[in-house]
Structures are given as C-alpha cells and as structure tokens.
C-alpha cells in the first residue's frame, strides 16, 4: 500500500470541484477588486468552478497540504497585495502531531498595498519584498503547509489547513477556512501551469479572500483522508 495512503493522504486527481452548501461565503472587497474579478481578469479562472479546496464535508477535512513535485526548490511568492499596509509575512510549515505547534518557517515579508488600477494594468506587481526575504525553500519529501499573517492584526496567523487556524487563532476560530486554492493558469496561453497553484488568502473576518494572492510552484496539492493530525 502506498505510503501516502497509510498516512491518510492521496494526491488530488479530480479536476475541479464547485461550490458546496457548506462553503464559506465570499464577500466583496471593501475598496479593492472583488476576488471573482481578480481571478477572471488576471488568471482566467472561475471562483467556484475552478476551486480545488471546497468544504465538501467539514472544514477540518478540507485539503490544505502540498507535496514537492520534482527536483529543485519549492517557490512560494506573493503576487498581489490587497490587504492591510502593515507588515505582511509568509512562509511554510511542517505539520506535527500537535496542531498547536506546527514547525513554522518565515520566508518573506512586505509592506505594500496594490490598487484596482494595479490589478487591471499589471503595474506595481508583484509587491516588493523586504530585505532578507526569499521565495524558495526545500521542504523535503513529506507534506507541508503554507501560512501568512499581518502585524497590524491580533491573531492574524492563518494556515492552509483550516483546523490549524482553529487551533491557533481564537479570533478566526469560528470561521477557520481562510484560503482558496486554484490551479495556476497562464492568461496569455490559456494553459494551466504544471505543478503550480494560486492561493487567495484571508487573514481577517470579512472573507473577501484577496488580502494576499500567492503562487506556489513545484508542488502537488494533497487531499487529507481524515481529520487527524499528520505525523512528522
């Protein structure tokens, strides 16, 4: 039996899933482009038809881990900044048996906010990263997750696994689904970029899901077969 099956994990093979009745609702951006507009204009994607991590059963069972796809490092980079202007951070983590204590690694940070015009024209994209930032890392062969946070908010740390948000963030625990994952599409060619995904992040409570838009490369999305914690 494959090791991933023994771990309760299986690489996603289904193309895309649509919205489900349990899917958290997406709100309009308060003063920025709506998430569905960003997806259509910049990536040629549909907000629900192309969504890869809908809530089909429970939030805790929603996919939120990745696995390295091939040789070389994994790339994780911010593409659009539509959240708070205070310091934004991003990185990766290795799950542990304790959801309250993932092995967290910071990669990059920035203080920046894009405008509607930036999104429409492509100007001032991506956000400039702070000194010392990096967008590549080596996670090894085991599944791993990603995270973002903002220094301007208390309890702003959010993870790609919703159950880790619930375990570590009291402010957001009532609704811990804080990122939407999509295939990454090249708008010019219309073709999907192999082993690359687009992530819309939400680190607040208004759920517009475009606080930080990120791209992750050289990975495959992994589906959790159970809600139990992944061992190291």
């Amino acid at each position: 039996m494959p090791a991933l099956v023994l771990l309760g994990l299986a690489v996603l093979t289904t193309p895309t899933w649509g919205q489900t009745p349990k899917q958290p609702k997406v709100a309009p951006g308060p003063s920025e482009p709506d998430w569905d507009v960003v997806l259509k204009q910049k990536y040629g994607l549909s907000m629900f038809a192309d969504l890869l991590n809908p809530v089909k059963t429970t939030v805790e069972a929603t996919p939120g881990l990745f696995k390295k796809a091939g040789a070389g490092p994994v790339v994780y980079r911010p593409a659009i900044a539509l959240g708070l202007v205070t310091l934004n951070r991003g990185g990766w983590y290795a799950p542990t048996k304790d959801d309250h204590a993932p092995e967290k690694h910071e990669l990059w940070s920035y203080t920046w906010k894009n405008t509607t015009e930036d999104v429409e024209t492509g100007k001032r994209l991506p956000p400039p990263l702070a000194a010392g930032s990096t967008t590549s890392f080596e996670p090894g062969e085991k599944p791993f997750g990603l995270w973002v946070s903002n220094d301007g908010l208390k309890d702003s740390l959010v993870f790609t696994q919703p159950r880790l948000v619930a375990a570590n963030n009291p402010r957001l625990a009532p609704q811990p689904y804080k990122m939407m994952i999509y295939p990454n599409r090249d708008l010019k060619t219309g073709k999907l970029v192999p082993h690359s995904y687009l992530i819309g992040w939400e680190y607040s409570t208004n759920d517009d899901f475009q606080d930080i838009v990120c791209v992750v490369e050289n990975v495959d999305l992994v589906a959790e077969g159970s809600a139990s914690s992944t061992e190291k």
Side-chain angles (χ1 to χ4, degrees):
M1 183 177 295
L4 283 181
V5 175
L6 292 175
L7 285 171
L9 299 168
V11 176
L12 287 173
T13 56
T14 52
T16 55
W17 300 321
Q19 187 181 22
T20 66
K22 297 183 179 180
Q23 185 69 30
K25 303 303 180 184
V26 179
S31 59
E32 314 95 13
D34 295 344
W35 182 220
D36 62 334
V37 173
V38 174
L39 287 169
K40 290 176 184 176
Q41 287 186 350
K42 302 300 293 183
Y43 303 97
L45 295 169
S46 169
M47 184 164 62
F48 293 119
D50 290 312
L51 180 63
L52 294 176
N53 67 322
V55 180
K56 300 180 72 176
T57 54
T58 66
V59 167
E60 289 76 15
T62 304
L65 294 177
F66 296 90
K67 202 169 189 295
K68 188 175 171 180
V74 170
V75 173
Y76 174 46
R77 55 184 174 85
I80 307 174
L82 293 172
L84 298 176
V85 187
T86 41
L87 190 68
N88 293 268
R89 305 176 188 270
W92 70 282
Y93 67 92
T96 70
K97 293 181 180 180
D98 183 0
D99 282 351
H100 294 89
E103 293 183 4
K104 190 165 71 73
H105 308 270
E106 183 171 332
L107 296 172
W108 45 260
S109 64
Y110 68 82
T111 305
W112 191 257
K113 185 178 179 69
N114 289 119
T115 66
T116 299
E117 182 182 0
D118 293 342
V119 176
E120 292 175 347
T121 64
K123 295 179 180 178
R124 304 198 320 148
L125 297 177
L129 301 182
S133 294
T134 182
T135 57
S136 63
F137 65 99
E138 176 53 66
E141 299 303 316
K142 294 184 179 180
F144 64 91
L146 303 170
W147 62 268
V148 300
S149 67
N150 184 281
D151 285 10
L153 292 172
K154 181 181 179 181
D155 296 332
S156 67
L157 179 61
V158 290
F159 301 89
T160 45
Q161 287 177 287
R163 73 166 187 263
L164 265 65
V165 178
N168 293 277
N169 195 322
R171 183 176 69 93
L172 301 179
Q175 200 298 84
Y177 178 94
K178 292 300 175 182
M179 52 83 224
M180 301 176 79
I181 304 174
Y182 298 84
N184 186 15
R185 174 174 283 130
D186 185 324
L187 187 60
K188 293 182 179 179
T189 65
K191 296 181 178 180
L192 297 181
V193 182
H195 308 296
S196 181
Y197 298 85
L198 183 75
I199 303 177
W201 286 101
E202 173 62 46
Y203 49 56
S204 190
T205 54
N206 62 340
D207 286 345
D208 54 18
F209 287 94
Q210 35 75 311
D211 291 342
I212 307 178
V213 180
C214 291
V215 172
V216 58
E217 301 170 332
N218 192 25
V219 297
D220 288 315
L221 180 61
V222 170
E224 293 191 60
S226 70
S228 60
S229 296
T230 303
E231 297 184 359
K232 292 195 293 180

